[in-house]
PDB file of all heavy atoms in Angstrom:
ATOM      1  N   ARG Z 133     119.970  24.462  82.126  1.00  0.00           N
ATOM      2  CA  ARG Z 133     118.555  24.852  82.365  1.00  0.00           C
ATOM      3  C   ARG Z 133     117.642  23.762  82.890  1.00  0.00           C
ATOM      4  O   ARG Z 133     116.504  23.946  83.016  1.00  0.00           O
ATOM      5  CB  ARG Z 133     117.968  25.551  81.149  1.00  0.00           C
ATOM      6  CG  ARG Z 133     118.660  26.923  80.829  1.00  0.00           C
ATOM      7  CD  ARG Z 133     117.735  27.925  80.178  1.00  0.00           C
ATOM      8  NE  ARG Z 133     117.253  27.542  78.872  1.00  0.00           N
ATOM      9  CZ  ARG Z 133     116.315  28.223  78.166  1.00  0.00           C
ATOM     10  NH1 ARG Z 133     115.758  29.333  78.714  1.00  0.00           N
ATOM     11  NH2 ARG Z 133     115.968  27.879  76.951  1.00  0.00           N
ATOM     12  N   TRP Z 134     118.251  22.603  83.168  1.00  0.00           N
ATOM     13  CA  TRP Z 134     117.433  21.599  83.887  1.00  0.00           C
ATOM     14  C   TRP Z 134     117.261  21.940  85.328  1.00  0.00           C
ATOM     15  O   TRP Z 134     116.270  21.608  85.969  1.00  0.00           O
ATOM     16  CB  TRP Z 134     118.111  20.214  83.676  1.00  0.00           C
ATOM     17  CG  TRP Z 134     117.310  19.098  84.371  1.00  0.00           C
ATOM     18  CD1 TRP Z 134     117.559  18.518  85.563  1.00  0.00           C
ATOM     19  CD2 TRP Z 134     116.050  18.494  83.910  1.00  0.00           C
ATOM     20  NE1 TRP Z 134     116.569  17.553  85.866  1.00  0.00           N
ATOM     21  CE2 TRP Z 134     115.651  17.561  84.874  1.00  0.00           C
ATOM     22  CE3 TRP Z 134     115.274  18.704  82.748  1.00  0.00           C
ATOM     23  CZ2 TRP Z 134     114.504  16.861  84.760  1.00  0.00           C
ATOM     24  CZ3 TRP Z 134     114.153  17.922  82.610  1.00  0.00           C
ATOM     25  CH2 TRP Z 134     113.735  17.025  83.587  1.00  0.00           C
ATOM     26  N   SER Z 135     118.291  22.614  85.823  1.00  0.00           N
ATOM     27  CA  SER Z 135     118.362  22.917  87.279  1.00  0.00           C
ATOM     28  C   SER Z 135     117.189  23.823  87.702  1.00  0.00           C
ATOM     29  O   SER Z 135     116.818  24.814  87.079  1.00  0.00           O
ATOM     30  CB  SER Z 135     119.668  23.701  87.541  1.00  0.00           C
ATOM     31  OG  SER Z 135     119.540  24.404  88.739  1.00  0.00           O
ATOM     32  N   ASP Z 136     116.566  23.448  88.821  1.00  0.00           N
ATOM     33  CA  ASP Z 136     115.414  24.254  89.361  1.00  0.00           C
ATOM     34  C   ASP Z 136     115.899  25.633  89.825  1.00  0.00           C
ATOM     35  O   ASP Z 136     115.134  26.516  90.022  1.00  0.00           O
ATOM     36  CB  ASP Z 136     114.802  23.463  90.503  1.00  0.00           C
ATOM     37  CG  ASP Z 136     114.022  22.247  90.017  1.00  0.00           C
ATOM     38  OD1 ASP Z 136     113.421  22.317  88.910  1.00  0.00           O
ATOM     39  OD2 ASP Z 136     114.007  21.208  90.671  1.00  0.00           O
ATOM     40  N   GLU Z 137     117.196  25.699  90.130  1.00  0.00           N
ATOM     41  CA  GLU Z 137     117.736  27.034  90.504  1.00  0.00           C
ATOM     42  C   GLU Z 137     117.772  27.935  89.332  1.00  0.00           C
ATOM     43  O   GLU Z 137     117.636  29.219  89.469  1.00  0.00           O
ATOM     44  CB  GLU Z 137     119.164  26.906  91.123  1.00  0.00           C
ATOM     45  CG  GLU Z 137     119.161  26.662  92.609  1.00  0.00           C
ATOM     46  CD  GLU Z 137     119.148  25.113  92.917  1.00  0.00           C
ATOM     47  OE1 GLU Z 137     120.239  24.509  92.713  1.00  0.00           O
ATOM     48  OE2 GLU Z 137     118.137  24.588  93.342  1.00  0.00           O
ATOM     49  N   VAL Z 138     117.920  27.441  88.162  1.00  0.00           N
ATOM     50  CA  VAL Z 138     118.053  28.249  86.967  1.00  0.00           C
ATOM     51  C   VAL Z 138     116.656  28.534  86.344  1.00  0.00           C
ATOM     52  O   VAL Z 138     116.282  29.641  86.027  1.00  0.00           O
ATOM     53  CB  VAL Z 138     118.990  27.634  85.896  1.00  0.00           C
ATOM     54  CG1 VAL Z 138     119.091  28.458  84.713  1.00  0.00           C
ATOM     55  CG2 VAL Z 138     120.370  27.405  86.540  1.00  0.00           C
ATOM     56  N   VAL Z 139     115.870  27.425  86.234  1.00  0.00           N
ATOM     57  CA  VAL Z 139     114.517  27.551  85.695  1.00  0.00           C
ATOM     58  C   VAL Z 139     113.612  27.039  86.817  1.00  0.00           C
ATOM     59  O   VAL Z 139     113.575  25.897  87.231  1.00  0.00           O
ATOM     60  CB  VAL Z 139     114.330  26.713  84.445  1.00  0.00           C
ATOM     61  CG1 VAL Z 139     112.859  26.729  84.017  1.00  0.00           C
ATOM     62  CG2 VAL Z 139     115.215  27.256  83.319  1.00  0.00           C
ATOM     63  N   ASP Z 140     112.810  28.012  87.444  1.00  0.00           N
ATOM     64  CA  ASP Z 140     112.131  27.641  88.636  1.00  0.00           C
ATOM     65  C   ASP Z 140     110.665  27.252  88.396  1.00  0.00           C
ATOM     66  O   ASP Z 140     109.902  27.061  89.308  1.00  0.00           O
ATOM     67  CB  ASP Z 140     112.158  28.838  89.627  1.00  0.00           C
ATOM     68  CG  ASP Z 140     111.389  30.056  89.076  1.00  0.00           C
ATOM     69  OD1 ASP Z 140     110.833  29.969  87.937  1.00  0.00           O
ATOM     70  OD2 ASP Z 140     111.333  31.077  89.778  1.00  0.00           O
ATOM     71  N   ASN Z 141     110.330  27.007  87.183  1.00  0.00           N
ATOM     72  CA  ASN Z 141     108.870  26.623  86.931  1.00  0.00           C
ATOM     73  C   ASN Z 141     108.648  25.382  86.129  1.00  0.00           C
ATOM     74  O   ASN Z 141     107.619  25.158  85.494  1.00  0.00           O
ATOM     75  CB  ASN Z 141     108.150  27.841  86.275  1.00  0.00           C
ATOM     76  CG  ASN Z 141     108.809  28.249  84.978  1.00  0.00           C
ATOM     77  OD1 ASN Z 141     109.667  27.542  84.432  1.00  0.00           O
ATOM     78  ND2 ASN Z 141     108.403  29.414  84.436  1.00  0.00           N
ATOM     79  N   TRP Z 142     109.617  24.434  86.241  1.00  0.00           N
ATOM     80  CA  TRP Z 142     109.478  23.156  85.601  1.00  0.00           C
ATOM     81  C   TRP Z 142     108.382  22.273  86.231  1.00  0.00           C
ATOM     82  O   TRP Z 142     108.274  22.226  87.449  1.00  0.00           O
ATOM     83  CB  TRP Z 142     110.805  22.326  85.768  1.00  0.00           C
ATOM     84  CG  TRP Z 142     111.870  22.545  84.742  1.00  0.00           C
ATOM     85  CD1 TRP Z 142     113.041  23.224  84.959  1.00  0.00           C
ATOM     86  CD2 TRP Z 142     111.893  22.016  83.413  1.00  0.00           C
ATOM     87  NE1 TRP Z 142     113.809  23.112  83.844  1.00  0.00           N
ATOM     88  CE2 TRP Z 142     113.161  22.409  82.860  1.00  0.00           C
ATOM     89  CE3 TRP Z 142     111.047  21.300  82.613  1.00  0.00           C
ATOM     90  CZ2 TRP Z 142     113.564  22.059  81.572  1.00  0.00           C
ATOM     91  CZ3 TRP Z 142     111.418  20.978  81.309  1.00  0.00           C
ATOM     92  CH2 TRP Z 142     112.668  21.359  80.804  1.00  0.00           C
ATOM     93  N   PHE Z 143     107.684  21.529  85.389  1.00  0.00           N
ATOM     94  CA  PHE Z 143     106.935  20.349  85.909  1.00  0.00           C
ATOM     95  C   PHE Z 143     107.832  19.135  85.487  1.00  0.00           C
ATOM     96  O   PHE Z 143     108.100  18.925  84.309  1.00  0.00           O
ATOM     97  CB  PHE Z 143     105.584  20.211  85.179  1.00  0.00           C
ATOM     98  CG  PHE Z 143     104.594  21.207  85.624  1.00  0.00           C
ATOM     99  CD1 PHE Z 143     104.221  22.297  84.918  1.00  0.00           C
ATOM    100  CD2 PHE Z 143     103.877  20.971  86.857  1.00  0.00           C
ATOM    101  CE1 PHE Z 143     103.219  23.198  85.320  1.00  0.00           C
ATOM    102  CE2 PHE Z 143     102.878  21.836  87.307  1.00  0.00           C
ATOM    103  CZ  PHE Z 143     102.538  22.974  86.510  1.00  0.00           C
ATOM    104  N   LYS Z 144     108.233  18.394  86.490  1.00  0.00           N
ATOM    105  CA  LYS Z 144     109.088  17.290  86.182  1.00  0.00           C
ATOM    106  C   LYS Z 144     108.513  15.969  86.738  1.00  0.00           C
ATOM    107  O   LYS Z 144     107.781  15.993  87.695  1.00  0.00           O
ATOM    108  CB  LYS Z 144     110.477  17.472  86.870  1.00  0.00           C
ATOM    109  CG  LYS Z 144     111.287  18.590  86.285  1.00  0.00           C
ATOM    110  CD  LYS Z 144     112.583  18.757  87.116  1.00  0.00           C
ATOM    111  CE  LYS Z 144     113.445  19.891  86.526  1.00  0.00           C
ATOM    112  NZ  LYS Z 144     114.603  20.178  87.393  1.00  0.00           N
TER     113      LYS Z 144
END
Side-chain angles (χ1 to χ4, degrees):
R133 291 212 292 176
W134 180 258
S135 159
D136 291 324
E137 272 90 72
V138 181
V139 175
D140 65 359
N141 57 12
W142 273 109
F143 283 104
K144 293 175 179 173

